[in-house]
Amino acid sequence: MDKPPGQQPDAPDFPEAVAARRSRWRVQLVWLVPLVAVLIGGWLAVKTVLEKGPTITISFVTGEGLEAGKTKIKFKNVDIGVIKKVVLSPDHKRVIASAEVNRDATNMLVDDTRFWVVRPRISGGTVSGIGTLLSGSFIGMDIGTESKARRDFVGLESPPVFAAGVPGREFVLKSGNMGSLDIGSPVFFRRLQVGQITSYALDPDGAGMTLHVFVNAPYDKYVSNSTRFWHASGVDVSLDTTGVKVNTESLVSILIGGLAFEDPPNVVDKTEAAAQSQFELFSDRAEAMKRHDNIVDTYVLNFKESVRGLLVGAPLDFRGIVVGEVAAIYTHFDPVTKEFSIPVEVRIFPERFTSRYQSGGKGGRMTADRKAFTDYLVAHGLRAQLKTASLLTGNLYVAVDFFPAAPKATVDWSKSPPELPTIPGNLQGLQDSITSLVAKLNKIPFDAIGKDLHQTLTDADGLLKTLNTQVAPEARATLAAAQETLASANRSLQPDSPLSQSTVDTMRELSRTAAAFRTLADYLERHPEALIRGKPEDKK
């Protein structure tokens, strides 16, 4: 067999290779696996981004209990976020905690949402956060009621007293001091705890305190426009014009303090107070329940006696009715008379002076023309004086009454405040009387009287000696003779004495004579003719 040209002799005979065409789909299937992996990774990344909630920042005073990656944010004990980073603020005064919040909690991040660190606390008589001793601290959250979204917050230093949405109303109280109150201190109504103090702050001028209290529903309806709030903290021991008083609201108030409120008696306006209404916080229940008058007149009472025991707030009494109170007590030196006096400023409530001096039984008040009415009262002897309210405490009060014999006086309305006339009190009058008596006693010449008395006693001593030496012996002899006479008379009066026997016989004779006269008288009564004819002889 002939060899084809170009082929070497004796070479093996192999079939000719034919190149096959590659399919396009085979190349795409190779890259399908990584493509699917990329798509899955992208989808997961997009899902993570879509499901990722907002990042917020919370500012705290301290980082105690905060740990990045571990500290949770909880709402009603459900995790809704976690702290991712904790750093100091640029001024190094606070701690900034960055947290990631779940996407489904985004609508909870509004302008008045509150955050705080939950840790073990003992405050205001309450214990909270005990469970964190084992589980660790976490950040508590309370949803606000605003609609504006917010991403940066300032954390609270202590948990809120009540959560948002709790039924009830918050009120504002103005007080001169805090007493023993604190956040969380209870609020009582008729000794039932119905609320608590939510916050307090010092007024900008430093003259008082502003407190916010929350009264739970349904008890908030008992807070009216006329309601009075007062301190019910601890044990209130007071010494006033009525003696010693000990008041307390409850055992809880003794330990941690508290407030109480109630409507005064015979109140007219019982309209429910609106939220954030402002009230005055009184020092005690007695002060809160006092009648608060709208019209107040200020006068000065000038005393020249000691006012020890007179306190600011002491009553101004008119025949047992409190018509005012002491507002201030001062001292004054008169350069003309060179004398000290004690001006006492008092507040008088004209509305408490009522009368029925008008005809027809219609009452009148002295508020219409108070100056003319006051002049009339002073002209008819109205005076003020100090009186002892309690012998136990030594407290004084100011009494006003009519003294017609008092020196004439008038009110000088040009002074501000005008001055009402006074007279010395009973104690001062007694002191003046004693002083006058002592002065009169000092005028008595006790030394001369003593010398005269000594001379009189000397003369009396001489007289006694004369009586003893001269008169006494004669008197003794006379007394001895008298004694002998009495003894003789006694012997004569004995039953067996001769005088006694003779007396008995004589009395017997007198008895027989009397009997004879009685017989004669009977006979003459029956026979009066016997006085003329004589007694007829008996017929034989």
Side-chain angles (χ1 to χ4, degrees), residues 13-14 133 169 200 203 249 279 301 305 330 360 363 367 401:
D13 188 10
F14 291 102
L133 291 173
R169 278 176 287 177
Y200 63 86
D203 292 342
E249 191 68 24
F279 297 89
L301 307 175
E305 55 191 292
Y330 307 100
T367 56
D401 207 337

Side-chain angles (χ1 to χ4, degrees), residues 144-225:
T145 58
E146 300 289 339
S147 58
K148 181 180 178 181
R150 186 174 178 180
R151 295 295 181 264
D152 57 322
F153 301 89
V154 177
L156 304 177
E157 296 306 312
S158 58
V161 178
F162 65 96
V166 174
R169 278 176 287 177
E170 191 175 44
F171 303 100
V172 181
L173 305 182
K174 290 290 186 178
S175 174
N177 58 77
M178 278 292 296
S180 58
L181 302 176
D182 197 359
I183 294 177
S185 295
V187 177
F188 297 96
F189 176 69
R190 301 190 183 278
R191 299 192 176 183
L192 174 67
Q193 183 173 346
V194 298
Q196 53 278 323
I197 297 177
T198 60
S199 64
Y200 63 86
L202 183 67
D203 292 342
D205 58 359
M209 303 291 298
T210 300
L211 298 90
H212 292 261
V213 299
F214 185 83
V215 180
N216 301 315
Y219 309 106
D220 57 335
K221 66 181 180 181
Y222 299 113
V223 181
S224 67
N225 293 328

Side-chain angles (χ1 to χ4, degrees), residues 214-288:
F214 185 83
V215 180
N216 301 315
Y219 309 106
D220 57 335
K221 66 181 180 181
Y222 299 113
V223 181
S224 67
N225 293 328
S226 302
T227 295
R228 310 282 173 81
F229 287 82
W230 67 87
H231 282 272
S233 303
V235 179
D236 179 19
V237 180
S238 61
L239 297 176
D240 57 14
T241 57
T242 60
V244 181
K245 289 184 177 180
V246 180
N247 297 315
T248 182
E249 191 68 24
S250 68
L251 181 60
V252 176
S253 65
I254 294 177
L255 299 176
I256 64 174
L259 301 178
F261 69 88
E262 192 176 332
D263 285 342
N266 302 323
V267 66
V268 177
D269 184 9
K270 289 192 175 182
T271 305
E272 292 186 20
Q276 301 300 322
S277 295
Q278 183 171 304
F279 297 89
E280 180 181 358
L281 180 59
F282 296 94
S283 58
D284 52 41
R285 189 181 190 279
E287 179 67 21

Side-chain angles (χ1 to χ4, degrees), residues 41-52:
W43 177 79
L44 292 175
V46 171
K47 182 180 178 182
T48 301
V49 172
L50 293 177
E51 292 183 350
K52 181 180 179 181

Side-chain angles (χ1 to χ4, degrees), residues 18-214:
V18 179
R21 299 183 62 182
R22 300 181 63 181
S23 174
R24 294 180 303 171
W25 297 106
R26 187 172 183 178
V27 175
Q28 292 179 355
L29 290 176
V30 173
W31 290 97
L32 184 60
V33 174
L35 179 60
V36 170
V38 170
L39 292 176
I40 293 175
W43 177 79
L44 292 175
V46 171
K47 182 180 178 182
T48 301
V49 172
L50 293 177
E51 292 183 350
K52 181 180 179 181
T55 299
I56 63 173
T57 59
I58 310 173
S59 172
F60 294 101
V61 174
T62 176
E64 180 184 359
L66 301 179
E67 188 174 354
K70 293 185 177 181
T71 303
K72 304 293 184 179
I73 298 178
K74 295 185 178 183
F75 176 70
K76 294 185 176 182
N77 209 29
V78 176
D79 294 346
I80 62 170
V82 63
I83 299 296
K84 291 298 185 179
K85 183 173 61 175
V86 179
V87 296
L88 290 174
S89 63
D91 58 1
H92 301 165
K93 293 182 178 180
R94 299 183 66 87
V95 173
I96 307 298
S98 299
E100 290 185 1
V101 181
N102 297 343
R103 182 171 177 271
D104 54 1
T106 303
N107 59 350
M108 303 166 62
L109 304 175
V110 293
D111 193 55
D112 56 345
T113 297
R114 297 178 291 183
F115 295 91
W116 65 94
V117 179
V118 178
R119 61 173 71 96
R121 300 176 188 269
I122 300 177
S123 176
T126 59
V127 179
S128 62
I130 296 299
T132 58
L133 291 173
L134 299 177
S135 61
S137 300
F138 63 90
I139 295 179
M141 175 182 175
D142 182 40
I143 304 176
T145 58
E146 300 289 339
S147 58
K148 181 180 178 181
R150 186 174 178 180
R151 295 295 181 264
D152 57 322
F153 301 89
V154 177
L156 304 177
E157 296 306 312
S158 58
V161 178
F162 65 96
V166 174
R169 278 176 287 177
E170 191 175 44
F171 303 100
V172 181
L173 305 182
K174 290 290 186 178
S175 174
N177 58 77
M178 278 292 296
S180 58
L181 302 176
D182 197 359
I183 294 177
S185 295
V187 177
F188 297 96
F189 176 69
R190 301 190 183 278
R191 299 192 176 183
L192 174 67
Q193 183 173 346
V194 298
Q196 53 278 323
I197 297 177
T198 60
S199 64
Y200 63 86
L202 183 67
D203 292 342
D205 58 359
M209 303 291 298
T210 300
L211 298 90
H212 292 261
V213 299
F214 185 83

